[in-house]
Amino acid sequence: VQLQASGGGSVQAGGSLRLSCVGSEELGVIVMGWWHQAPGKEREFVAHISRSGRRIEYGDSVQGRFTISRYNGENTVYLQMNNLKPEDTAVYYCASATVWPERRSEDEYEYFGQGTLVTVSS
């Protein structure tokens, strides 16, 4: 599976961005997630969504501000990011897993796409 993320950019605090991730294959059979990595820090879980879209989980730092969704017909997963904060500045990666990542750990995902940079200024 090849994953292509896009939609990053620069925005002021309080603003919004929507990231997209397009898969090279049928995404309807796999779990999709978003991770981010801030400068000097480890990659961190943001959100993931089940095949059907009915099961969703978010990381504590984005709960209530970010929304993950998917459109299997176009092999695309989205991350709507609202009320962005400077601490959201990071490279954002989409990822796929064949089994639900119970531990929200990187090693539970089989593929990571290339990242897209999000910069939030104060």
Side-chain angles (χ1 to χ4, degrees):
V1 177
Q2 291 187 348
L3 305 171
Q4 180 77 33
S6 62
S10 297
V11 65
Q12 289 190 327
S16 299
L17 283 173
R18 188 175 82 154
L19 305 183
S20 301
C21 175
V22 180
S24 61
E25 302 177 12
E26 174 62 51
L27 295 185
V29 296
I30 54 179
V31 179
M32 295 299 299
W34 287 95
W35 289 68
H36 67 197
Q37 186 168 22
K41 296 186 177 181
E42 295 185 351
R43 195 150 53 182
E44 180 182 65
F45 169 75
V46 174
H48 52 207
I49 183 169
S50 65
R51 298 167 181 79
S52 66
R54 289 192 291 268
R55 187 177 182 184
I56 293 173
E57 291 181 342
Y58 295 96
D60 291 341
S61 66
V62 307
Q63 181 76 46
R65 299 187 298 120
F66 291 10
T67 303
I68 188 172
S69 60
R70 65 190 298 164
Y71 182 29
N72 292 336
E74 293 186 346
N75 295 336
T76 304
V77 176
Y78 301 98
L79 185 69
Q80 177 66 42
M81 305 185 296
N82 296 330
N83 191 22
L84 282 160
K85 303 176 180 180
E87 52 264 42
D88 295 319
T89 294
V91 177
Y92 284 72
Y93 301 88
C94 62
S96 65
T98 52
V99 178
W100 183 258
E102 296 289 351
R103 293 180 286 109
R104 304 183 186 184
S105 174
E106 277 190 76
D107 61 7
E108 295 178 285
Y109 287 83
E110 284 88 5
Y111 297 99
F112 280 82
Q114 98 299 343
T116 185
L117 177 63
V118 172
T119 303
V120 184
S121 58
S122 58

